[in-house]
Each structure stands twice: as structure tokens, then as C-alpha cells.
Amino acid sequence: MGKGSGYGKVILFGEHFVVHGVPGLVSAIDSTTDAEVQKGGKGIQIKDERKTAKGYSEEKRLQQLESIERMLKTMGIDPKISLSIRIGGTLPGFSGLGASAASSVAIARAIAQELGMQISDEKINQIAYEAEKAYAGNPSGIDNTAATYGGLMWFKKNMAGGPDKVERLHMRRPIEIIIGSTGKVANTKAMVEGVAERKKKNPEKYDPIFKQAENLSHAGRKALENYDLKKVGELMNENHRLLQEIGVSSKELDMLVDLARKQGAFGAKLTGGGGGGCMVALTPGKDLQGKVLSAIKYLGFEVLSTKIGVEKY
Ligand code: PMV
């Protein structure tokens, strides 16, 4: 049996904007998707045992099958191969946490191991990028890169098609965060397409917002490197406002973001594709983290309590 894993992630600055060449900042989280693959059976059989938001597996089913077809093609494997795939791990299937990219990395690694193929991380990342097209249409590559390598990263898509700019960043100490899930499954592909269409139709509105997003990512990087957490929080709030302006937030996301801020979070924003999915709040220290966690849980929403900037993942 072949086994493999991929990291979940939170985007701290720049989701959606990264698709268009604006740099983004992403951190892996301590939850992974794990896959086991065994040759045999009949066609591609998937047993998805992840904890998910209601309806996630059904909604993503066709995209998942397409992603595996894309993966096999990129790996040069006969599409008629029979494989039994089991997907599990600690990363829940909530939209916004890079669950699709984490599963693609995990499955590609498990397939490679099962078939005795030696594949570098660079190649795994490329395979997962091709697979991610099934879920995101025109992905930036930030999710598969975080899922493959882990850590805290600065990511800038190469719009000319060459290698993307990926820099590993280091922080003085990891920071506690809270991830709150709206429980709503989002269609990343539709969200990404929506932004591209609106941007094309209305450049007078969108171009200045994209410029602000670029400045924000740079300022966010500087604040993180200086460990100025108040500033990081303020910039996350600002990033959320830009995401609202480009039409990817939702009333549940705005509500959770407001709630986290009212409980003392240094900053909060939606994370990932939006339109449902998750928000991330910066909550340095165990006490603040616990306070924000309780408030969100109290309203009946699912919460993950984790850290960003941990070196080992
Ligand atoms: O919702 P997720 O976890 O798939 O994140 C999507 C991030 C986007 O920036 C919206 C798309 C991308 O490929 O970068």
C-alpha cells in the first residue's frame, strides 16, 4: 500500500489577488490530509473518510474524479488503471483551507509510492497544480505549494508561465490563530471566475483594489517579519475589506469576522476562496485564542485552533 500526506493552509494575505500575479502570504497548519492507495479493484474507487462540512463530498465529487484523471495524466499513468484510494487525516473538508490541494498532494504521493515511482517534491507540486485546476479552474498555485512543502511562504505566481516565486519566511515565534467555518461549502472555481469577470468588466474599480492588495501583502510580510502583531491584525482587517469589495465575502463570514474582532482578535479576515468556507482570526496567546474559540463555538460553528509560522510544518 502507498501512503502520502499534504498540509492544509491558511492564506494570511492575498487570496484571489494571487491568481492575477499579486504576491500572497500563506502558512501551512498542523492538519493534514492523508491518503492510502492500493492497486486493484475496479477503476478508480474512492473512500473519503474526512470530516467535512455538510454536503462537501457530494459537491466536490465530480471535481475530485476530474482531479485524479488530471493527476494520472501528468504522472504518465494509464488512465484505465484500477486503484483503491482512501482519504482521511486531520484536515477537515471545509472550504478555504486548501483541502483539495492537500488531498491531491496526498494522493499523488501515495500513488507514486504504490507504483514504485521516485518523484521529487517539485514534481508532486506540479502534479497537484494540474489536479487543482479541476477544483479552481485557474488556480494561482499557492494552495498546492503550501500543501507540498508546508511552512510559512511568500508566493507570487509567474504570469508568463515560468517558475513561480516562492520564498520561505521565518517568524520569531509561532502565533495562535482561530479558524472558524461558516459550514457552507463554496465552489472555488465559480468564485475565481467571478472575480476575473468582474475585474475585466470594471477595471476602473478593480485595478486600484488590486494595487492596494499588492501593497498590503508587502506590508503584511514586513509586519510578520518584525513580529508586529497589532499591525499584522490591522492589515488582515484591511485585506478583508478588499475581499468584501471584490465580492467574495458572505454575511456568515462577515459575522464571524466581526465576532472574532469583538472578542479581542488582533485581526480577522476570510481565508481562501470565500463565498462560504472559513475565516481566520489572529489571536496571540492561549487565553485570547480560547476566548475567540468559545465565542464562535457558542454560536454553533465549527472551529480549529492552531498556529501559523511553526517551522516543523
Ligand atoms: O478556497 P481554497 O482553499 O481552495 O483557496 C483558494 C485560494 C484562491 O486564491 C481563491 C484561488 C487560488 O488558486 O489561489
Side-chain angles (χ1 to χ4, degrees), residues 5-298:
S5 287
Y7 292 103
K9 62 97 222 280
V10 281
I11 297 180
L12 298 168
F13 295 102
E15 50 273 275
H16 282 291
F17 303 107
V18 274
V19 172
H20 303 270
V22 169
L25 240 155
V26 63
S27 177
I29 56 173
D30 61 347
S31 306
T32 57
T33 298
D34 307 329
E36 289 174 0
V37 170
Q38 212 156 14
K39 254 192 297 187
K42 201 161 172 265
I44 301 294
Q45 282 174 345
I46 306 168
K47 203 164 161 203
D48 197 339
E49 294 174 351
R50 287 175 294 178
K51 171 186 167 181
T52 64
K54 199 163 171 276
Y56 181 90
S57 306
E58 296 74 15
E59 174 107 357
K60 304 279 174 186
R61 193 91 199 143
L62 288 177
Q63 294 181 346
Q64 188 178 52
L65 283 171
E66 186 193 329
S67 77
I68 292 170
E69 272 169 29
R70 287 177 166 277
M71 203 180 289
L72 294 176
K73 192 167 172 214
T74 316
M75 293 172 87
I77 298 169
D78 180 355
K80 292 198 202 77
I81 191 171
S82 291
L83 296 172
S84 295
I85 302 173
R86 194 187 73 78
I87 310 171
T90 50
L91 180 70
F94 296 160
S95 300
L97 302 183
S100 56
S103 73
S104 296
V105 167
I107 295 168
R109 283 182 169 146
I111 293 177
Q113 199 181 79
E114 174 68 357
L115 302 185
M117 300 164 79
Q118 297 295 329
I119 299 191
S120 64
D121 278 349
E122 198 183 338
K123 182 74 185 166
I124 289 288
N125 192 23
Q126 190 201 333
I127 295 164
Y129 175 70
E130 289 305 318
E132 189 63 1
K133 287 181 182 169
Y135 295 100
N138 173 29
S140 63
I142 195 168
D143 280 15
N144 45 278
T145 304
T148 303
Y149 298 105
L152 179 70
M153 274 184 302
W154 174 257
F155 177 93
K156 185 169 166 38
K157 182 183 171 111
N158 186 330
M159 298 305 283
D164 301 319
K165 184 167 184 187
V166 182
E167 274 179 73
R168 191 170 280 278
L169 304 183
H170 302 280
M171 274 167 42
R172 211 178 294 162
R173 273 190 307 280
I175 317 172
E176 289 80 6
I177 58 163
I178 285 293
I179 294 165
S181 169
T182 61
K184 291 236 159 110
V185 180
N187 184 336
T188 307
K189 193 171 177 174
M191 299 306 292
V192 169
E193 279 169 7
V195 173
E197 270 167 33
R198 293 191 290 278
K199 182 177 188 294
K200 201 168 160 203
K201 260 197 207 140
N202 196 350
E204 296 79 15
K205 175 180 169 186
Y206 277 75
D207 290 353
I209 299 177
F210 274 64
K211 188 67 214 156
Q212 286 178 56
E214 172 144 23
N215 294 339
L216 255 177
S217 286
H218 285 281
R221 174 178 178 163
K222 207 165 145 206
L224 269 172
E225 287 179 333
N226 292 339
Y227 213 73
D228 184 349
L229 303 188
K230 285 274 180 214
K231 185 80 191 164
V232 176
E234 276 167 30
L235 295 167
M236 285 170 69
N237 289 343
E238 187 61 14
N239 196 165
H240 185 69
R241 194 182 57 75
L242 296 184
L243 290 163
Q244 285 174 318
E245 281 186 33
I246 64 167
V248 296
S249 193
S250 71
K251 67 176 190 314
E252 292 87 358
L253 282 167
D254 290 346
M255 190 274 289
L256 290 178
V257 160
D258 278 350
L259 176 67
R261 289 176 189 160
K262 283 197 182 111
Q263 293 298 318
F266 285 25
K269 59 182 275 293
L270 73 84
T271 188
C278 292
M279 68 99 204
V280 55
L282 193 72
T283 54
K286 281 256 164 257
D287 291 351
L288 180 56
Q289 189 182 36
K291 194 171 171 217
V292 175
L293 177 134
S294 307
I296 296 179
K297 252 193 167 164
Y298 184 74

